[in-house]
Amino acid sequence: MNRNTGTFRSLNQGPFTIHQDEGWRTLAATTPSRNYARNIGYGFIGYTWEENGPSLAVRNGEETLETHVENVASMNITDVLYIRCDWRDVQKRPGRLDLHPVWELTMDAARRHGLRVAFRVQMSSPNFQPQRLALPDFVADKVPMVDIGNHAGSSFVYVEPRYDHPKFQSAFRELNELLADRFDNQPNMEFVDLMMYGFWGEGHTGAFPHPFPDYYTAETTCLAMAELQLDIWRKVPLAVNTQTDINGVGNDAVRQLALAQGCWLRSDSILIEEPEQIGQIAGRPPGTAVIMEDGDFRHYRMEDIPEDSAGISRMENAMLHVPDLGANYWSLWTEAAQVRRFAEHNPYGFQRLRERMGYRIRPSWIWQRKRHGTDEIIVAIANDGGSGMPGVLWLQLESVNGRLCMTGSIDKGQPFGGQLRLASFVLPPDFGCKELLLRAMLETKPGVLHSVQWSCAQLLQSDGAFPIRLAGHEGEGWRKGV
């Protein structure tokens, strides 16, 4: 907040013509850092639980759940821990959460390793049918289930709930209220996947028909469920899946609504996607983060992954398409030992993503100009990453004596990947301090700001601020009439 005016404001972003100033000089110029900065809005995602469960070793009884979570969290490339589980894994009875032990283990590991957390709760999954449904029993017992088709090569029939049924809708609202009450205020929550219709909560049931009586009911129900989540989750970003509307349930309308309200995007594969989803991601609105994964070779076993004519493995090829989309996240899945082994033998993909995935911002130029009897500070923020800012970037200029603190924003999504954005602060006359500090913050949802670490090679303050020393107006080095 600007302590001089008591309000936030949008910064002047130019153009800054030479005719506006009475003399200027370059105070600082930075270069990209070779170190990887952990910031909200991008990173590698390690899975403590996926739709099939935890690691293969845990499923086979060869490893404890505690060991698996620690292995994923302790990888030096992990930034976010992710849980993808069924509704029945978070609630067993009305009115309260009954979280599977993986939740507390994940949250504890995130605290100890300085990581962030994300999750998805699935209302439907084909993985364990017919033995069990993704729904908790207290919901499944009260909601009609619809046969949608036979499993290939089997006699059993997949079922889907009537999402439009009043009992389902009531339980769905309560689930979101309980989850938001528990997690929406958690400072290390990165994002939550929008709970959508169908298999894995991604908005589809494959080639099977939907369980609704007609398209109108399907679309209005799915839109209402999306609106409910958008209303309840006020602080944590929600991510909507790019799944096409192949089942005719209103995915297109849900996605448009979600994007209009600032949701992020996610896609569950990258190389095999049809042009529609790739086009959606590439043409997304400014300020929209993208979460990417590819499940075909999720176990990262090198002996199972084919190579192309250039000797590039299929998984590394998938990783190297993340910068093509300007995406923000890449999923590591559950097999920590295999990921480490793969990274040792295929370092380029990880190196490339550490340099280009998401954003990397720094104050590339800082100028001081004489204007209006005082000083104007202009900063050119460079983004060395491949994506624009996933939200609104705020800059804060403060004096070391604490008497001045000016805060302002630049346009949503700016600076875009590989580009610059200029912004200025006009200092009050004679405020009496030559030592300034420049900080950055990212607003991911209205009013929710997170500190951002500068990605420059030059030295920063111990608290991450970039130091600026003003020049006296009578000293040498000023330029004018050039």
Side-chain angles (χ1 to χ4, degrees):
M1 186 168 64
N2 186 331
R3 294 178 190 167
N4 297 312
T5 64
T7 59
F8 287 104
R9 63 189 178 91
S10 178
L11 295 173
N12 177 15
Q13 295 164 64
F16 302 106
T17 67
I18 196 67
H19 304 291
Q20 293 179 334
D21 70 72
E22 301 154 10
W24 58 274
R25 63 189 300 153
T26 303
L27 293 181
T30 71
T31 55
S33 173
R34 295 183 178 181
N35 298 322
Y36 179 74
R38 279 181 171 166
N39 283 313
I40 192 169
Y42 65 85
F44 292 93
I45 305 176
Y47 286 31
T48 58
W49 197 276
E50 52 124 303
E51 60 263 28
N52 294 296
S55 67
L56 294 173
V58 176
R59 291 180 239 169
N60 294 332
E62 302 165 354
E63 181 179 70
T64 66
L65 182 61
E66 291 83 356
T67 299
H68 155 63
V69 172
E70 181 62 21
N71 286 342
V72 174
S74 62
M75 287 192 293
N76 62 4
I77 55 175
T78 302
D79 298 297
V80 179
L81 296 179
Y82 178 74
I83 300 170
R84 180 183 296 165
C85 68
D86 291 339
W87 187 342
R88 68 184 303 118
D89 295 316
V90 300
Q91 195 180 16
K92 299 185 184 303
R93 69 203 85 175
R96 56 169 287 179
L97 293 178
D98 301 286
L99 299 173
H100 187 281
V102 73
W103 286 80
E104 182 54 38
L105 290 171
T106 300
M107 299 303 291
D108 177 66
R111 285 190 291 267
R112 288 186 289 104
H113 291 278
L115 307 178
R116 306 183 299 276
V117 180
F119 67 84
R120 179 196 301 177
V121 175
Q122 304 171 149
M123 299 178 288
S124 170
S125 173
N127 291 49
F128 299 104
Q129 292 193 39
Q131 288 84 4
R132 68 173 189 262
L133 300 177
L135 298 177
D137 293 340
F138 80 90
V139 177
D141 291 344
K142 297 179 181 178
V143 175
M145 308 301 292
V146 179
D147 295 348
I148 61 171
N150 284 64
H151 178 270
S154 174
S155 60
F156 89 82
V157 177
Y158 284 125
V159 296
E160 280 286 295
R162 280 292 299 269
Y163 295 84
D164 57 311
H165 192 274
K167 294 290 186 182
F168 186 95
Q169 288 296 308
S170 175
F172 179 75
R173 171 178 285 277
E174 180 188 80
L175 171 65
N176 273 275
E177 290 173 343
L178 290 169
L179 288 170
D181 183 66
R182 179 71 175 269
F183 296 110
D184 197 33
N185 287 305
Q186 292 276 2
N188 66 338
M189 290 302 301
E190 188 85 355
F191 64 86
V192 172
D193 285 336
L194 195 72
M195 297 168 63
M196 299 174 69
Y197 153 83
F199 291 167
W200 308 294
E202 295 174 355
H204 67 96
T205 43
F208 299 103
H210 64 64
F212 299 96
D214 51 60
Y215 177 81
Y216 175 82
T217 303
E219 184 188 87
T220 54
T221 299
C222 290
L223 275 173
M225 293 169 69
E227 288 173 339
L228 183 147
Q229 294 173 83
L230 290 165
D231 182 61
I232 289 176
W233 291 90
R234 299 298 180 89
K235 295 184 177 180
V236 179
L238 297 178
V240 61
N241 205 290
T242 59
Q243 174 65 41
T244 64
D245 199 13
I246 193 67
N247 288 124
V249 293
N251 284 1
D252 293 341
V254 168
R255 188 173 54 253
Q256 291 172 13
L257 169 69
L259 287 175
Q261 295 199 30
C263 278
W264 294 354
L265 285 174
R266 76 164 299 130
S267 183
D268 302 299
S269 55
I270 188 167
L271 295 183
I272 63 172
E273 290 297 2
E274 64 284 306
E276 180 178 344
Q277 293 194 59
I278 298 301
Q280 290 170 16
I281 295 169
R284 65 190 185 272
T288 307
V290 172
I291 304 127
M292 293 301 309
E293 67 179 15
D294 198 301
D296 278 353
F297 301 101
R298 66 184 68 186
H299 300 141
Y300 282 84
R301 284 194 294 252
M302 291 191 299
E303 54 271 23
D304 297 338
I305 305 175
E307 295 183 350
D308 62 19
S309 59
I312 305 296
S313 80
R314 176 83 172 185
M315 181 56 86
E316 191 169 35
N317 192 328
M319 294 174 65
L320 292 172
H321 277 75
V322 170
D324 291 348
L325 291 171
N328 300 69
Y329 298 90
W330 179 249
S331 297
L332 302 172
W333 294 88
T334 59
E335 307 306 308
Q338 296 290 354
V339 171
R340 287 191 178 99
R341 178 170 171 252
F342 182 89
E344 289 174 2
H345 289 82
N346 301 271
Y348 178 63
F350 289 92
Q351 175 187 341
R352 176 73 169 162
L353 265 57
R354 287 172 76 89
E355 295 172 350
R356 293 287 293 163
M357 182 172 65
Y359 63 90
R360 308 286 188 277
I361 58 168
R362 58 187 168 89
S364 186
W365 283 270
I366 299 178
W367 295 276
Q368 179 181 353
R369 300 203 302 178
K370 300 177 185 178
R371 289 193 67 203
H372 309 307
T374 184
D375 289 294
E376 178 186 38
I377 304 301
I378 300 177
V379 295
I381 304 299
N383 184 351
D384 299 305
S387 75
M389 301 301 296
V392 176
L393 180 65
W394 289 81
L395 302 177
Q396 181 168 293
L397 190 67
E398 61 189 64
S399 59
V400 295
N401 64 9
R403 296 180 59 189
L404 176 75
C405 183
M406 306 179 73
T407 303
S409 67
I410 62 177
D411 293 346
K412 189 173 185 179
Q414 292 281 359
F416 299 144
Q419 297 186 26
L420 289 169
R421 192 67 165 186
L422 276 65
S424 80
F425 296 87
V426 177
L427 304 180
D430 303 320
F431 75 97
C433 186
K434 297 296 185 182
E435 301 288 341
L436 302 175
L437 300 173
L438 181 66
R439 306 182 191 276
M441 296 170 289
L442 179 65
E443 185 179 31
T444 53
K445 295 191 81 168
V448 181
L449 276 73
H450 306 266
S451 295
V452 171
Q453 181 179 340
W454 295 115
S455 296
C456 60
Q458 286 65 37
L459 291 178
L460 303 172
Q461 300 290 102
S462 59
D463 62 358
F466 186 86
I468 302 171
R469 180 169 180 80
L470 295 180
H473 282 196
E474 305 305 321
E476 297 181 352
W478 289 93
R479 296 171 65 83
K480 191 177 187 326
V482 178

